């Protein structure tokens, strides 16, 4: 369903109690900053690999940076994944340093509508949470740079790769968020940008709005509550309305 086709019948009394955000590609168009950081890490290690935009778009089907490196090496060398993890871990640590530095320099801003939605939800006491399987350092770098040093006060629950080793599309990260919020899935709305993210949220039973981007335009989003290009102009009232329609 595209947002344009959503009818505007409003049924009161079914408010969203919490909005759960994915981070990469959803709160900010970070994917290209990740790609550039991977390439810098490869270069620093004296490797000639260079991930193009097209290649990285395909690699994003593998969730998790370290897992992505292992998948790439396994595909290109035939070596067993277990023999590649030490090298991947080292490359990924270097990549994270490059990525964090770039984000702290303000290379990537929040996507349209994100800051406004966070502010509206805070004002109207809709609880906020984060469900991402990126590294904690990446989340801190982006949100402290874009929302200020007290960003963590805005989000009641933050679950990331440190607490959910099984990456999306596994639902673990969302199930952890629901448990910590003490809410049922249908009381929440997830905001995602990718097929893997949608699958994770759906497996946890959470109605999900998709904000697609250049790296996920081609994904299939069957079962999403709505698919929009971004949240510019999609305010909290519109999200509540979409949620009401999704759970009735
Ligand atoms: Mg994402």
């Amino acid at each position: 369903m595209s947002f344009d086709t959503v009818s505007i019948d409003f049924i009161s009394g079914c408010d969203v109690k919490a909005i759960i955000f994915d981070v990469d590609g959803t709160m900010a168009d970070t994917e290209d900053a990740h790609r550039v950081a991977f390439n810098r890490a490869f270069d620093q290690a004296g490797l000639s690999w260079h991930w193009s935009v097209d290649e990285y778009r395909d690699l994003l089907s593998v969730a998790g940076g370290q897992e992505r490196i292992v998948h790439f090496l396994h595909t290109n060398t035939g070596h067993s994944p277990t023999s590649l993890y030490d090298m991947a871990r080292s490359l990924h640590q270097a990549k994270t340093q490059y990525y964090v530095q770039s984000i702290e320099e303000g290379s990537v801003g929040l996507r349209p509508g994100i800051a406004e939605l966070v502010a509206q939800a805070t004002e109207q006491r809709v609880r906020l949470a984060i469900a991402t399987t990126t590294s904690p350092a990446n989340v801190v770098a982006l949100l402290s740079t874009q929302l200020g040093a007290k960003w963590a006060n805005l989000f009641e629950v933050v679950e990331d790769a440190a607490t959910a080793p099984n990456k999306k599309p596994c639902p673990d990260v969302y199930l952890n968020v629901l448990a910590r919020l003490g809410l049922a899935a249908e009381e929440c709305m997830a905001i995602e940008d990718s097929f893997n993210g949608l699958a994770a949220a759906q497996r946890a039973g959470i109605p999900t709005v998709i904000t697609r981007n250049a790296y996920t335009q081609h994904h299939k989003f069957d079962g999403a509550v709505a698919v929009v290009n971004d949240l510019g102009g999609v305010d909290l009232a519109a999200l509540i309305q979409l949620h009401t329609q999704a759970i009735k």
Side-chain angles (χ1 to χ4, degrees):
M1 178 187 296
S2 82
F3 185 67
D4 293 341
T5 65
V6 174
S7 76
I8 54 171
D9 300 332
F10 182 78
I11 301 171
S12 62
C14 297
D15 290 355
V16 178
K17 293 200 172 119
I19 298 171
I20 309 172
F21 288 95
D22 168 53
V23 175
D24 285 327
T26 297
M27 297 191 83
D29 276 321
T30 50
E31 302 299 13
D32 213 55
H34 282 291
R35 184 184 69 84
V36 169
F38 276 115
N39 286 334
R40 289 184 71 185
F42 299 154
D43 191 45
Q44 182 210 37
L47 301 166
S48 59
W49 312 331
H50 181 91
W51 288 351
S52 68
V53 170
D54 286 344
E55 190 168 23
Y56 195 61
R57 188 179 294 119
D58 293 338
L59 285 166
L60 278 174
S61 65
V62 181
Q66 203 170 301
E67 291 82 353
R68 202 165 295 140
I69 295 171
V70 168
H71 171 82
F72 173 78
L73 289 175
H74 172 60
T75 304
N76 286 280
T77 68
H79 295 316
S80 73
T82 48
S83 70
L84 298 168
Y85 267 102
D86 283 346
M87 184 180 191
R89 189 177 301 114
S90 167
L91 285 168
H92 189 246
Q93 283 172 351
K95 175 263 170 181
T96 297
Q97 288 183 350
Y98 285 126
Y99 176 81
V100 165
Q101 180 185 352
S102 166
I103 293 299
E104 287 178 345
E105 289 170 357
S107 63
V108 180
L110 297 179
R111 294 189 68 190
I114 294 291
E116 292 83 353
L117 183 58
V118 166
Q120 273 191 328
T122 303
E123 188 181 306
Q124 297 183 36
R125 301 186 183 216
V126 173
R127 299 158 76 186
L128 295 173
I130 285 173
T132 176
T133 42
T134 197
S135 307
N138 296 348
V139 178
V140 172
L142 177 73
L143 298 185
S144 62
T145 302
Q146 296 298 322
L147 292 173
K150 294 184 178 175
W151 70 272
N153 293 344
L154 299 168
F155 297 90
E156 188 175 331
V157 170
V158 177
E159 289 283 328
D160 52 39
T163 51
N166 295 321
K167 307 261 159 76
K168 299 173 186 178
C170 288
D172 299 20
V173 67
Y174 277 106
L175 295 173
N176 290 348
V177 169
L178 292 176
R180 287 184 58 197
L181 287 172
L183 292 175
E186 61 269 22
E187 295 178 298
C188 303
M189 178 75 99
I191 314 288
E192 279 282 358
D193 72 300
S194 70
F195 171 78
N196 277 339
L198 173 63
Q202 282 184 317
R203 287 174 190 176
I206 304 170
T208 305
V209 168
I210 294 294
T211 57
R212 60 190 166 195
N213 59 51
Y215 278 103
T216 64
Q217 289 283 355
H218 62 295
H219 289 195
K220 291 204 184 325
F221 295 118
D222 296 343
V225 171
V227 179
V228 298
N229 288 330
D230 58 54
L231 290 177
V234 183
D235 62 8
L236 183 60
L239 277 188
I240 290 171
Q241 183 182 311
L242 288 168
H243 179 266
T244 301
Q245 291 176 342
I247 65 171
K248 76 180 177 184

